[in-house]
Amino acid sequence: MLNAERRPSMAERRPSFFSPGPDGSLQSTSLVVPHLAGIEDPLPETTPEQVDVLIAGTGLIESILSASLAWQGSTVLHIDSNNYYGDTWATMTIDQLKNWTNQVNEDSDETRFYKDARLYVSGLVAQGKFKSKNFGIDLSPKILFAQSDLLSVLIKSRVHQYLEFQSLSNFHTFENDNFERLTNSKQEIFTDQTLPLMTKRNLMRFIKFVLEWEKSTDIWKPYAEQPLASFLVDKFKLEKPQVFELIFSIGMCRNLDTKTPEGLARIRRFLTSFDVYGPFPVLYSKYGGPGELSQGFCRSAAVAGATYKLNHKLVSYDPNSQTAVFEDGSRVRVTEKVVASPTQHPQNGGNIPPQKYEVHRLTCVVEKDCSQWFSEGESAAMVVFPPDSLKTGNVEAVQVVILGSGAEVCEPGTCVWYFSTTQAGPRGDLDLDAALEAMINSILRESSDIPNEDELVQINSNGVPLVNSVKLGQSFKELISKERVNFIMKLYYTQYTSTPPFDIVTPDLFDLNKSKEFIPGASDNGILYTSLPSGEVSYDEVITAAKFLYEKIVGSDDDFFDLDFENDEPDLKNTNKTINSYDESAIADDEEDIQMMDSEPVEFAGEMEI
Amino acid sequence: MHGVTRREWTKELLRKKREKERQEILDYRELSDEVLELKNKRVANKDSLLKTTQLLNINPEFNTIWNYRREIIKLLAPSLDQTFWDGELAFTMDKLKVRPKVYWIWNHRVWCLEHYPNSPLKIWLKELAIVGKLLEMDARNFHGWHYRRYIVSTVERLSGNCLNSQEFEYTTAKINQNISNFSAWFQRTNIIEHMLARDQIADKESFIDDEFQYIKNAMFTDAEDQSVWTYLIWFIKESALKEHMTSEKYSSMLKELTEIIELINDDDISFSGKDNIWCLKTLLVIEFIQKDILKEDIKSKSREYLDKLIIIDPLRKNRYLYQIRAL
């Protein structure tokens, strides 16, 4: 196999294509994850002579683009100069990270995409106590809102069937040296015994308002140009802990400058995601984040006919002859467009978009399971350090995504902490270090023996015991632990991107290829460049970015993932005629079809609202 | 190849679907005629029973057929064993899963439980668990709540155990999940009355205090929610609880309530410039109790509340005018 060090792929984790049936004969299992070149299948010896679109780089945006184009009917050649899928969105083992770090530090390119990669790996890995490939570390960790465009595309494209998702419901704001658990649902506000009654009222009123905030212009318009914080204080009489929770944990804003409308949109994003699939707003994919998703979309593209080739480097593209040349001497004629991730640009490229913005990241694996931070049955949590909550007096928030071993990204008894901030310059790393220190102190306090448990459990007026986690934190603030936190690995790096830290996603964030004029001598004239992951912790940008590119290539995004898999559905064996047996997916969504259906209203008795 | 949409496909599929449904309608009408014919002839055998199953599978809202089905079962009863009754319960459950708000299915299920051989406590306890699951899926299905009350009373009768405190906790849990669950609040009023009637509340004073705290909490959490106000009005005016309070305590509770409601209403005015309808309505009730029941000598604001209500709640204008006349 090409890459012996890799982790089992999504196809290999599934039961095999054929499994013995009850009578011993081979039967196909219900779902098959299609194989992918360079993982389960060998890489193709040759590539097509002519394609509609050539895509270089298998990051998430490129992979979504590739699948959307392949299903739309374009022939796609999708390559990557690396020997793995995912590019800057990849999920890596510890050994892969070692290679990656070396590459970053050897890179002498003028345009830098990463710098200052510093990797520490514990001797326990070399000694074999921990195995490199039991870890799946994301270069750009992301969380998925239950109500989001990416999730809709995952479902429409059926790529979600290749993946496994888990819920994330625990969000903590770090405040006064303590983690405050988020109070965000009506139930939690109602049953919370620590919130003053008037605060409950104000908080509830805000939550009701924000769900349909755009309609109530009279309430927010006067604050449209002001920061969200002053709106929350002036209009809703909310106090600092609630304001910070709303802006930083629920809104996941980066700093206090976020304007009212943008902030409200971000808060609503969280709240409308709540209860879509259950009592949690956010999901993440098991076994790895964007790296797994990228691979999923590549598999889908391959099913639709896209050709995949790894270790394949684009050397140049000539827009006049429409010919792309690769490192191995092969070439391809591209009838429509060449798309490339900036990291996969041909040498002497003159059109690479400037990567003006910095994201500072710190990823570590600790030898603690951190289960006290997770909700029951979950293995993930998010912690936000709002501005000025760290000893560095941070201006930008530090966001931390915590994934436990239940997420299948690390070994049992360990946990991955992903820190990130959009604070530029050396301050960024100082803020990350301060956040790490606060996390370590907190996990040590909380995992120490509890001297007097009675004091920590209060009984509320209805006799329901209530564990006060705030008190739990406070009572150990002074406690100095004998313990230490052991790191299995620790990786600092700074990533550059052309996407500014945004509050809400707009297509113009991804308009990177404005120049129409060719630069004489450049090897990348006519190439459409994509964007690297931004500092945003959610996947919000990817569909807008992919659609933007799709529209540039196809001319319109009307049929972006306009898929109809109906015919692939195996016929239901059920021959009983019941009203509910008709295929719901046959209900079409365009006007003409709706008109056709309107003429026969009686037939839809089975649709009655329950 | 660009711009090729799958519109044609969809049209073709729709045509097929309509064709399929047209056939289904024909089949349904044919079957329905056949079963009604059997019913007119009072045919009661395994075949006619099977025909009703087929018809109810398609249309579980056809009450005539449920009636006919029971007639058949009654006539066949001597030859039916426990397996049949289990099957019948499973059949209604299947139907309820699809149509949880059809009276006739609930009705048939109750009938089955009552006619089950010996109607043992076991099946009723199982039923209680089932209705719990059902209310988990839809906590505000009033059929489910009504059914729960019925099951609870049967379980109590058969077991001789009272389930009041357990059921009270159940309403707390359901209200905590969603304070707008009026069914749960209503259930709570029923249970409290039961508990009082059977003298099952040992410390009435602290029970009343706790309940009052609980309501206050709910009022502040959502002052727009009708369920909470309706419950509050029941609590201070209708329930037998007030008979277990000294008039001093009753009076001071009302005073405290007035202050809280005025606070909430003032807060609403400062936010939206409007009075809160439920605050004013409740203040009216409180004043009525203070004057007419407790005979307290207080300055009446009822006229002021009603004048405001006429403006902010014009749909009930005449009711408020009537109340003004009655002052």
Side-chain angles (χ1 to χ4, degrees):
Chain A
M1 197 94 294
L2 184 83
N3 183 359
E5 223 291 303
R6 67 177 179 81
R7 286 154 61 78
S9 71
M10 58 184 78
E12 290 155 345
R13 292 191 303 257
R14 297 273 170 147
S16 57
F17 183 28
F18 288 108
S19 58
D23 55 351
S25 69
L26 289 179
Q27 297 185 329
S28 66
T29 48
S30 59
L31 180 85
V32 179
V33 178
H35 287 186
L36 195 54
I39 299 186
E40 302 87 6
D41 286 351
L43 290 170
E45 303 258 322
T46 56
T47 49
E49 283 173 18
Q50 178 174 320
V51 293
D52 293 329
V53 183
L54 165 68
I55 303 176
T58 54
L60 185 53
I61 294 171
E62 298 83 38
S63 302
I64 294 171
L65 179 69
S66 170
S68 65
L69 289 168
W71 282 107
Q72 175 264 353
S74 299
T75 51
V76 178
L77 173 60
H78 197 174
I79 63 166
D80 199 303
S81 59
N82 300 307
N83 65 354
Y84 52 84
Y85 283 87
D87 195 22
T88 55
W89 304 74
T91 304
M92 295 187 161
T93 65
I94 292 180
D95 285 346
Q96 282 177 315
L97 277 179
K98 284 183 193 163
N99 293 335
W100 179 85
T101 307
N102 287 335
Q103 260 176 29
V104 166
N105 294 332
E106 282 163 14
D107 188 7
S108 56
D109 207 319
E110 241 174 82
T111 316
R112 300 293 299 269
F113 304 104
Y114 292 100
K115 72 161 186 186
D116 296 342
R118 284 161 287 151
L119 174 69
Y120 157 86
V121 179
S122 158
L124 295 173
V125 179
Q127 290 160 30
K129 188 185 173 200
F130 296 104
K131 288 203 172 55
S132 158
K133 66 177 175 187
N134 290 342
F135 295 87
I137 306 298
D138 287 319
L139 287 182
S140 310
K142 300 274 176 190
I143 55 170
L144 179 61
F145 279 100
Q147 186 83 265
S148 59
D149 51 4
L150 175 58
L151 194 52
S152 316
V153 167
L154 278 165
I155 292 169
K156 247 200 223 168
S157 64
R158 301 202 167 180
V159 169
H160 76 286
Q161 295 183 341
Y162 310 157
L163 301 158
E164 285 174 62
F165 290 94
Q166 291 183 326
S167 62
L168 194 172
S169 63
N170 255 17
F171 293 79
H172 307 266
T173 321
F174 189 81
E175 202 44 27
N176 305 323
D177 207 16
N178 263 301
F179 292 109
E180 313 261 357
R181 212 183 94 66
L182 196 60
T183 315
N184 60 52
S185 69
K186 199 169 167 182
Q187 175 179 0
E188 281 176 312
I189 295 168
F190 180 46
T191 52
D192 188 327
Q193 302 290 313
T194 59
L195 279 180
L197 289 175
M198 212 56 196
T199 309
K200 284 192 188 196
R201 177 168 162 74
N202 293 331
L203 205 48
M204 267 305 303
R205 178 151 59 196
F206 174 73
I207 286 175
K208 279 184 165 180
F209 154 78
V210 78
L211 291 175
E212 296 196 320
W213 66 272
E214 276 155 316
K215 287 187 192 161
S216 320
T217 39
D218 52 322
I219 295 175
W220 62 270
K221 260 284 155 59
Y223 298 85
E225 288 304 315
Q226 290 186 41
L228 178 62
S230 51
F231 175 65
L232 295 176
V233 172
D234 288 2
K235 192 67 198 174
F236 285 91
K237 311 273 179 293
L238 290 170
E239 284 161 35
K240 194 191 165 196
Q242 283 78 43
V243 170
F244 268 46
E245 263 189 25
L246 286 168
I247 297 182
F248 296 107
S249 290
I250 295 183
M252 296 177 200
C253 301
R254 294 162 301 99
N255 55 41
L256 281 164
D257 300 337
T258 300
K259 297 269 189 299
T260 300
E262 286 80 7
L264 292 175
R266 289 178 73 93
I267 291 171
R268 184 176 52 192
R269 166 184 75 171
F270 184 104
L271 295 174
T272 53
S273 288
F274 210 79
D275 266 344
V276 174
Y277 295 101
F280 53 84
V282 158
L283 300 150
Y284 61 89
S285 60
K286 246 170 116 172
Y287 304 101
E292 286 289 296
L293 264 64
S294 305
Q295 217 189 78
F297 279 104
C298 289
R299 286 172 196 272
S300 173
V303 172
T307 307
Y308 277 86
K309 187 140 180 156
L310 298 179
N311 285 327
H312 208 49
K313 193 169 162 39
L314 179 63
V315 177
S316 69
Y317 175 62
D318 174 8
N320 295 319
S321 65
Q322 296 183 310
T323 306
V325 180
F326 303 107
E327 203 174 34
D328 64 0
S330 64
R331 51 186 62 222
V332 65
R333 217 178 90 82
V334 183
T335 57
E336 297 281 341
K337 226 19 163 189
V338 177
V339 180
S341 149
T343 54
Q344 313 242 341
H345 68 85
Q347 258 185 355
N348 308 319
N351 300 285
I352 307 155
Q355 310 287 318
K356 281 188 282 196
Y357 306 96
E358 286 179 25
V359 186
H360 288 247
R361 296 189 187 276
L362 163 58
T363 301
C364 38
V365 180
V366 294
E367 209 179 337
K368 283 257 175 231
D369 65 14
C370 303
S371 56
Q372 57 269 62
W373 288 340
F374 306 151
S375 283
E376 208 186 318
E378 295 193 347
S379 3
M382 224 187 120
V383 172
V384 175
F385 295 87
D388 208 21
S389 66
L390 293 166
K391 65 178 187 189
T392 50
N394 56 316
V395 177
E396 301 275 309
V398 175
Q399 296 171 328
V400 194
V401 177
I402 301 167
L403 291 181
S405 64
E408 300 287 350
V409 292
C410 55
E411 291 194 20
T414 71
C415 188
V416 190
W417 296 353
Y418 290 110
F419 297 77
S420 67
T421 180
T422 44
Q423 171 66 53
R427 274 202 71 156
D429 285 346
L430 294 178
D431 287 349
L432 294 179
D433 268 331
L436 174 64
E437 192 186 321
M439 292 269 291
I440 291 170
N441 290 340
S442 176
I443 193 81
L444 288 179
R445 274 197 311 252
E446 290 179 36
S447 56
S448 303
D449 291 332
I450 296 172
N452 187 356
E453 215 164 329
D454 294 347
E455 280 179 20
L456 304 170
V457 180
Q458 298 174 335
I459 309 290
N460 74 9
S461 60
N462 291 300
V464 182
L466 174 95
V467 179
N468 189 334
S469 65
V470 179
K471 208 171 164 190
L472 201 85
Q474 276 163 358
S475 53
F476 297 109
K477 199 182 285 184
E478 309 306 324
L479 198 123
I480 297 158
S481 180
K482 306 153 277 251
E483 266 189 291
R484 286 186 48 217
V485 170
N486 295 321
F487 290 97
I488 295 157
M489 67 138 261
K490 204 169 159 187
L491 169 65
Y492 290 86
Y493 55 105
T494 303
Q495 183 220 311
Y496 290 91
T497 171
S498 56
T499 314
F502 51 84
D503 284 322
I504 42 172
V505 196
T506 52
D508 60 280
L509 293 174
F510 310 103
D511 196 1
L512 312 174
N513 306 277
K514 286 177 188 135
S515 162
K516 289 268 183 285
E517 280 172 31
F518 292 154
I519 297 167
S523 60
D524 62 349
N525 284 329
I527 290 183
L528 207 50
Y529 279 107
T530 62
S531 53
L532 269 78
S534 74
E536 168 66 28
V537 72
S538 79
Y539 282 107
D540 277 8
E541 72 211 271
V542 297
I543 294 299
T544 312
K547 250 190 185 170
F548 188 84
L549 294 160
Y550 183 90
E551 195 188 329
K552 289 223 167 198
I553 297 164
V554 179
S556 130
D557 65 7
D558 287 351
D559 55 353
F560 181 78
F561 280 109
D562 182 19
L563 297 175
D564 191 348
F565 281 113
E566 188 172 23
N567 254 28
D568 305 346
E569 284 283 31
D571 253 346
L572 292 172
K573 283 178 200 126
N574 188 0
T575 48
N576 286 345
K577 282 180 197 155
T578 66
I579 283 191
N580 299 292
S581 72
Y582 74 81
D583 195 344
E584 279 178 312
S585 54
I587 297 170
D589 56 0
D590 68 45
E591 267 180 34
E592 204 176 322
D593 293 329
I594 286 167
Q595 279 167 6
M596 285 170 68
M597 297 199 293
D598 278 347
S599 59
E600 297 169 86
V602 242
E603 300 182 14
F604 284 82
E607 286 253 284
M608 210 177 83
E609 179 117 2
I610 287 165
Chain B
M1 90 195 47
H2 290 167
V4 176
T5 69
R6 283 154 218 252
R7 181 181 294 267
E8 296 308 316
W9 264 102
T10 319
K11 262 187 187 167
E12 170 64 11
L13 273 169
L14 257 145
R15 197 192 57 74
K16 277 190 189 161
K17 187 165 87 70
R18 282 196 301 165
E19 191 50 50
K20 200 175 120 203
E21 284 173 354
R22 191 165 288 133
Q23 190 55 47
E24 279 177 357
I25 290 169
L26 288 176
D27 291 352
Y28 170 73
R29 289 195 178 136
E30 194 181 312
L31 181 62
S32 156
D33 289 346
E34 191 185 342
V35 178
L36 287 171
E37 181 65 25
L38 288 168
K39 179 181 177 291
N40 288 338
K41 291 183 185 156
R42 298 186 169 263
V43 179
N45 55 33
K46 296 248 164 170
D47 279 343
S48 62
L49 188 64
L50 187 66
K51 288 281 176 202
T52 63
T53 310
Q54 287 171 354
L55 186 51
L56 290 169
N57 266 330
I58 303 172
N59 181 7
E61 309 209 43
F62 206 157
N63 191 28
T64 310
I65 306 305
W66 285 109
N67 286 334
Y68 175 42
R69 187 177 179 85
R70 278 190 295 278
E71 276 174 36
I72 301 172
I73 295 172
K74 271 194 259 177
L75 286 166
L76 295 180
S79 65
L80 299 171
D81 57 2
Q82 195 178 316
T83 325
F84 166 82
W85 290 99
D86 288 335
E88 198 62 7
L89 285 172
F91 176 61
T92 53
M93 185 42 69
D94 261 12
K95 299 303 111 198
L96 280 177
K97 276 180 187 159
V98 187
R99 307 283 179 83
K101 290 202 172 165
V102 174
Y103 284 87
W104 327 126
I105 312 177
W106 290 101
N107 183 36
H108 189 74
R109 189 166 177 86
V110 170
W111 184 83
C112 289
L113 289 168
E114 281 166 349
H115 289 78
Y116 194 94
N118 307 321
S119 196
L121 176 60
K122 199 179 68 185
I123 62 160
W124 293 92
L125 285 172
K126 192 175 159 203
E127 203 59 14
L128 190 57
I130 289 173
V131 78
K133 271 265 177 278
L134 209 124
L135 289 174
E136 240 168 68
M137 291 188 283
D138 179 6
R140 296 203 280 183
N141 182 339
F142 63 90
H143 292 273
W145 283 94
H146 179 73
Y147 190 64
R148 186 178 182 92
R149 280 191 288 278
Y150 177 76
I151 304 293
V152 165
S153 72
T154 312
V155 168
E156 287 181 335
R157 183 165 51 78
L158 293 175
S159 68
N161 291 329
C162 179
L163 299 183
N164 275 341
S165 67
Q166 179 193 321
E167 287 300 293
F168 183 78
E169 289 307 323
Y170 186 74
T171 64
T172 308
K174 286 288 157 196
I175 294 166
N176 285 354
Q177 279 168 21
N178 179 0
I179 68 168
S180 307
N181 187 339
F182 185 71
S183 298
W185 286 106
F186 179 66
Q187 184 86 327
R188 202 173 175 89
T189 67
N190 279 330
I191 294 163
I192 292 176
E193 296 294 6
H194 264 202
M195 290 165 92
L196 287 172
R198 298 185 195 175
D199 199 19
Q200 287 170 333
I201 300 171
D203 185 348
K204 294 193 185 61
E205 196 174 327
S206 77
F207 180 86
I208 290 168
D209 287 345
D210 284 352
E211 202 58 14
F212 187 47
Q213 286 302 325
Y214 194 62
I215 298 170
K216 271 202 287 188
N217 202 352
M219 284 162 64
F220 278 96
T221 304
D222 194 349
E224 272 73 56
D225 197 284
Q226 187 174 339
S227 313
V228 179
W229 295 101
T230 312
Y231 184 76
L232 170 66
I233 291 170
W234 169 84
F235 181 76
I236 56 172
K237 186 160 172 257
E238 308 297 334
S239 85
L241 282 170
K242 60 180 186 295
E243 287 151 29
H244 298 280
M245 282 186 265
T246 60
S247 57
E248 290 80 43
K249 171 139 185 175
Y250 192 24
S251 169
S252 76
M253 179 191 278
L254 292 176
K255 248 190 223 112
E256 188 187 341
L257 256 179
T258 308
E259 282 166 20
I260 291 170
I261 296 172
E262 282 173 348
L263 179 71
I264 292 177
N265 194 44
D266 287 348
D267 188 49
D268 256 19
I269 294 172
S270 83
F271 182 78
S272 64
K274 275 190 232 140
D275 287 89
N276 179 309
I277 294 175
W278 280 102
C279 285
L280 297 183
K281 281 182 170 182
T282 311
L283 287 170
L284 275 171
V285 175
I286 294 173
E287 204 180 287
F288 169 81
I289 301 170
Q290 286 171 326
K291 286 177 78 92
D292 284 43
I293 299 176
L294 293 170
K295 309 285 178 207
E296 288 179 4
D297 183 23
I298 52 158
K299 187 175 166 283
S300 172
K301 288 190 190 164
S302 290
R303 179 64 199 246
E304 184 192 321
Y305 300 149
L306 287 163
D307 284 341
K308 283 183 185 165
L309 279 168
I310 289 172
I311 297 164
I312 58 174
D313 187 19
L315 281 175
R316 291 169 195 80
K317 181 181 165 193
N318 284 317
R319 174 179 154 76
Y320 300 130
L321 285 172
Y322 170 80
Q323 282 179 285
I324 288 175
R325 285 195 296 276
L327 280 176

